[in-house]
Amino acid sequence: MDAAEFRRRGKEMVDYVADYLENIEQRPVYPDLEPGYLRSLIPTEAPLEPESYEEIMHDVERVIMPGAASPACTELETVMLDWLGKMLHLPESFIAGTHGHGGGVIQGTASEATLMSLLAARCKTIRQILVTDSKKSESEILSKLVAYTSDQAHSSVERAALIGAVMMRKVPTDEHYAVREEMLRKMVEEDKAAGLIPFYFCATLGTTPSCAFDHIMELGPLCKSASCSQLQSLRLLMAGSSDGSI
Ligand SMILES: Cc1ncc(COP(=O)(O)O)c(C=O)c1O
């Protein structure tokens, strides 16, 4: 889109919004749609060729406008992140699909994404423990949770632990500034012996200070193994950055 078309389309968009407001009574007050309605209306894979502006606006009217803002945009986000997951050839477990437990959401910043993952892991771990030991209080469990990250990780990872009110331990790195399995395992075992509950590890791929990559092929299986903590596996977040571009 060149500057001239950008000017034209921008003005058309102002008209579109004004028309919407002027004629709002002709649209349904609340959509008569079921959750998941959008998935069947758009392709399951990302298009290989770009579409024209007219085609895109036609799709906005056909697919997005019949829904209320939040469900429609959330559904679009889920389907489009499946597109991205498929383009990256991620395993099926990362794809939302129609029944899946995977899928992605877009966060505003990398710091926010890290915080969300830590809070989600914290919530799941506490719930899991309460299922088997309902006598424990949430605050008692919270005081024992411990998260881990590389000593090279960005400060936002440590900040997520502060906001999430959990302990965070920095795992020492090797001569290439990368975390290895044995380093994390040692800390997890020490903490378990001290009665703490390891629940989260944030691996870094291309750390901000040194561009190092943690050894995730070794660390993934460690996090997955239930023996890693009393009840649950460590939840693994992979945070990537290279020279500040995330
Ligand atoms: C690895 C890593 N995580 C998090 C951040 C913070 O990113 P944001 O400003 O999007 O929260 C950066 C910023 O450079 C980063 O390199």
Side-chain angles (χ1 to χ4, degrees):
M1 188 181 284
D2 59 19
E5 188 182 359
F6 184 57
R7 275 180 218 282
R8 186 157 59 85
R9 298 302 187 191
K11 287 171 189 156
E12 281 174 19
M13 184 50 72
V14 171
D15 282 342
Y16 184 86
V17 174
D19 285 347
Y20 174 83
L21 291 172
E22 242 175 27
N23 301 304
I24 199 158
E25 68 280 358
Q26 290 167 20
R27 293 185 183 262
V29 176
Y30 200 75
D32 183 19
L33 295 164
E34 291 297 316
Y37 83 95
L38 187 138
R39 188 169 283 274
S40 63
L41 300 179
I42 57 174
T44 52
E45 315 278 332
L48 293 176
E49 297 298 328
E51 293 187 357
S52 70
Y53 186 82
E54 281 76 15
E55 282 168 322
I56 293 169
M57 285 312 290
H58 178 257
D59 274 354
V60 169
E61 267 304 327
R62 182 180 68 91
V63 178
I64 302 296
M65 296 311 277
S70 175
C73 294
T74 306
E75 293 210 5
L76 182 65
E77 182 179 344
T78 312
V79 176
M80 291 187 70
L81 285 168
D82 272 4
W83 288 0
L84 182 64
K86 288 177 192 172
M87 281 158 71
L88 296 171
H89 299 290
L90 292 182
E92 190 62 31
S93 53
F94 283 81
I95 307 293
T98 39
H99 307 291
H101 293 290
V105 286
I106 300 172
Q107 302 293 338
T109 63
S111 310
E112 198 183 319
T114 305
L115 174 62
M116 285 304 127
S117 75
L118 183 125
L119 294 179
R122 188 186 82 169
C123 175
K124 278 201 135 186
T125 306
I126 292 177
R127 278 195 202 156
Q128 234 169 16
I129 294 174
L130 286 175
V131 167
T132 49
D133 190 353
S134 57
K135 287 201 202 79
K136 278 209 170 94
S137 70
E138 281 197 28
S139 56
E140 191 186 344
I141 301 168
L142 187 63
S143 69
K144 295 204 166 125
L145 292 181
V146 51
Y148 305 85
T149 195
S150 158
D151 63 11
Q152 299 292 307
H154 188 265
S155 57
S156 57
V157 183
E158 193 174 356
R159 194 167 56 227
L162 286 172
I163 299 171
V166 293
M167 278 174 271
M168 174 157 272
R169 296 192 66 195
K170 298 279 184 70
V171 187
T173 46
D174 65 11
E175 70 279 17
H176 302 297
Y177 306 108
V179 173
R180 301 210 71 105
E181 190 260 8
E182 65 263 26
M183 300 161 182
L184 178 62
R185 179 184 290 279
K186 186 169 170 292
M187 290 181 96
V188 166
E189 282 172 1
E190 278 169 16
D191 289 343
K192 275 173 59 185
L196 298 175
I197 307 171
F199 81 107
Y200 175 91
F201 171 58
C202 175
T204 54
L205 302 178
T207 57
T208 314
S210 53
C211 220
F213 277 62
D214 292 341
H215 294 266
I216 50 165
M217 299 306 279
E218 312 170 352
L219 291 159
L222 170 68
C223 292
K224 215 172 171 193
S225 70
S227 60
C228 200
S229 65
Q230 283 101 332
L231 283 165
Q232 66 290 313
S233 46
L234 280 178
R235 294 172 206 285
L236 171 68
L237 166 74
M238 288 182 270
S241 158
S242 199
D243 282 339
S245 57
I246 302 170

